[in-house]
Amino acid sequence: MNNIQILLIATIAIYLVSTIVIGAVFNKKGSGGSSSDFFIGGRKLGPFVTAMSAEASDMSSYLLMGLPGLAYLAGLAEVTWTAIGLAVGTYLNFLIVAKCLRRYTAKIGAITVPEFFNKRYDDKKHRLSMAAALIILIFFVPYTASGFKAVGTLFNSLFGFDYHVSMLIGAAIIVAYTTLGGFLAVSTTDLIQSIFMTVALIVIIFFGIDAAGGLDTVVANAKELPGYLNIFEGYNAATGTASSFKGLTIVSTLAWGLGYFGMPHILLRFMAIRDEKLLTTSRRIASVWVVISMGIAILIGVIGFSLTMNGTIPNLATSSESETVIIKIADVMSKNGVLFAIVAGIILAGILAATMSTADSQLLAAASSVCQDLLKDCFGIQLSQKTAMRLARLTVIIIAVIGVVLAWNPNSSVFRIVSFAWAGFGAAFGPTILLALFWRRSNKNGALAGIVGGAAAIFIWKFLLSPMGGVWGIYELLPGFIIGLVLNVVVSLVTAAPEKGIVEIYDEVHKKA
């Protein structure tokens, strides 16, 4: 191992140790002393932390690996429409959902998404919270696995470290600070991680353009590939020809934005802010950051192609290889002296930050589903505060272990894993959240049908219909969301109207708007 690699590892190690220290500090302050504190930080978040922790936990390794990798391989079409959908979804989620959800959950005393569904509809049989909790576990485990996979890929690609050992170390660190400090530790580290992610994107883009020979060269190289810079075509790397990206394909790709309405780890940030009025500031911060960061990430993928053309980085021919494009650029940067090596270390820490900021939030949301929603609410198991916290931490560890098992294959794609889990949450929870917040006639039967039907639709479309190609090949989130929405509305209308008490609470919440 040479001096540059030692310097890179030292920079990354300092960052990783700092995350554990943050967890220990919040543990000492007592942030894990109660369920409310551990799972939503006692509703104490400020506007900046709310915005940046929501976006950091949302973007994940998808921002620094998935988006650049797809742009590198296939050009602008799919990634551009995906980014537009995500940007619009971010803005609308903060604008439409955030304030009402904060107000509603505070009124009924809900600290998790499944508990919100249960208390919103006064479901005494706890069918809603059980279904929602199970869906969170089903989709968060592979989502978390994608984060662990990214950690293993980083160290394997850059230093030649064993993929599996690297993944295990990264998973252990994420679990350590999550179990120590709970929600406040996770949100604080997410804020720091968003800063690292931003620095990584800005530095890489300037260095990459310079190493490629200038922006004109980057554009000229991209134009050599048919359809690469055309958002209505895209490039097919397998055939070397232009693709077609129009109509229903664009609509289904834009549907990525619908996923925001159902993301438990993002919705928890809305529930945790100390004052709903602060969400206006959070919306502005989050919307600006997400547009700029995704735009830069896509451009890095295009720049990476030029760097391959001039021999600066190797040809990254597969999806799993292309997702290391930022890692390859950082590696080249590190060989330009001590200062550049330190900066490269910060960039690599940014990739870890992107991964960890999502994995920690997902682990926490999954732990809350097991302890708060399944054991306490569904099965009526009463636990002391101390025992509940121990069980929550144990749940985080168990879920992490399962995630590691799923991520054991180093050739899996971060982008594809994330897209499936994103679709699952968007279809199962998105329509239910919107109708629960804004439709007075919605009832528990409709909500249950929407949750179960939306989740089932994702599996059916992904594994049975999508392989048929043609119109069936669209992103499964769009049909899944529509099916979940229709089922919720139809079943609510053909079954009894919600009880008087439920409607009164609904009216009271909206009267304060």
Side-chain angles (χ1 to χ4, degrees), residues 119-409:
K119 290 186 175 181
R120 159 66 175 88
Y121 294 107
D122 192 25
D123 181 16
K124 294 180 175 60
K125 294 182 178 180
H126 302 287
R127 295 176 300 171
L128 282 171
S129 56
M130 180 177 288
L134 289 174
I135 287 171
I136 284 176
L137 291 177
I138 290 170
F139 287 109
F140 262 156
V141 170
Y143 212 147
T144 304
S146 72
F148 294 161
K149 188 266 178 187
V151 174
T153 298
L154 169 64
F155 285 99
N156 175 259
S157 175
L158 191 61
F159 304 115
F161 292 172
D162 182 81
Y163 167 83
H164 301 108
V165 172
S166 303
M167 180 180 62
L168 290 171
I169 293 174
I173 292 171
I174 295 170
V175 168
Y177 74 77
T178 302
T179 55
L180 278 172
F183 186 84
L184 286 179
V186 165
S187 296
T188 303
T189 52
D190 282 351
L191 172 61
I192 296 171
Q193 287 156 355
S194 68
I195 296 172
F196 271 82
M197 291 159 67
T198 303
V199 170
L201 288 167
I202 293 173
V203 173
I204 279 288
I205 195 169
F206 283 109
F207 177 83
I209 290 174
D210 181 68
L215 190 58
D216 290 341
T217 302
V218 171
V219 175
N221 287 334
K223 284 182 177 179
E224 292 185 11
L225 301 181
Y228 195 85
L229 296 181
N230 191 326
I231 63 172
F232 297 103
E233 290 184 347
Y235 174 68
N236 188 328
T239 62
T241 61
S243 303
S244 178
F245 211 89
K246 298 178 181 178
L248 188 58
T249 305
I250 291 177
V251 173
S252 74
T253 307
L254 287 171
W256 271 83
L258 296 173
Y260 275 105
F261 301 126
M263 292 299 129
H265 52 301
I266 298 174
L267 298 175
L268 285 176
R269 267 66 185 177
F270 302 157
M271 295 161 61
I273 198 167
R274 66 173 178 263
D275 188 336
E276 67 178 67
K277 295 177 182 177
L278 300 175
L279 284 163
T280 299
T281 301
S282 297
R283 182 182 74 241
R284 292 167 181 165
I285 295 170
S287 299
V288 170
W289 186 85
V290 78
V291 169
I292 294 174
S293 62
M294 286 194 297
I296 293 175
I298 293 170
L299 182 54
I300 287 172
V302 178
I303 293 169
F305 172 73
S306 279
L307 293 176
T308 293
M309 292 284 287
N310 68 16
T312 302
I313 64 174
N315 182 35
L316 309 173
T318 67
S319 60
S320 59
E321 289 176 344
S322 68
E323 288 174 351
T324 67
V325 60
I326 288 183
I327 299 173
K328 299 300 184 185
I329 298 174
D331 185 32
V332 173
M333 179 187 296
S334 69
K335 297 172 182 176
N336 286 271
V338 173
L339 179 60
F340 277 102
I342 294 174
V343 174
I346 294 174
I347 291 169
L348 297 172
I351 297 174
L352 281 178
T355 299
M356 295 166 67
S357 61
T358 300
D360 56 22
S361 299
Q362 292 161 350
L363 286 170
L364 198 61
S368 69
S369 295
V370 172
C371 299
Q372 187 73 19
D373 304 312
L374 287 179
L375 296 182
K376 181 181 175 182
D377 294 340
C378 297
F379 300 118
I381 299 175
Q382 298 301 315
L383 303 172
S384 67
Q385 201 65 251
K386 188 175 182 179
T387 302
M389 289 304 97
R390 286 177 176 173
L391 185 58
R393 291 175 171 119
L394 177 61
T395 303
V396 168
I397 294 171
I398 293 172
I399 293 170
V401 169
I402 299 173
V404 165
V405 172
L406 292 179
W408 205 251
N409 178 11

Side-chain angles (χ1 to χ4, degrees), residues 476-498:
E476 59 269 18
L477 173 53
L478 179 60
F481 189 95
I482 293 173
I483 290 170
L485 182 67
V486 170
L487 283 173
N488 197 323
V489 171
V490 171
V491 174
S492 290
L493 290 176
V494 300
T495 54

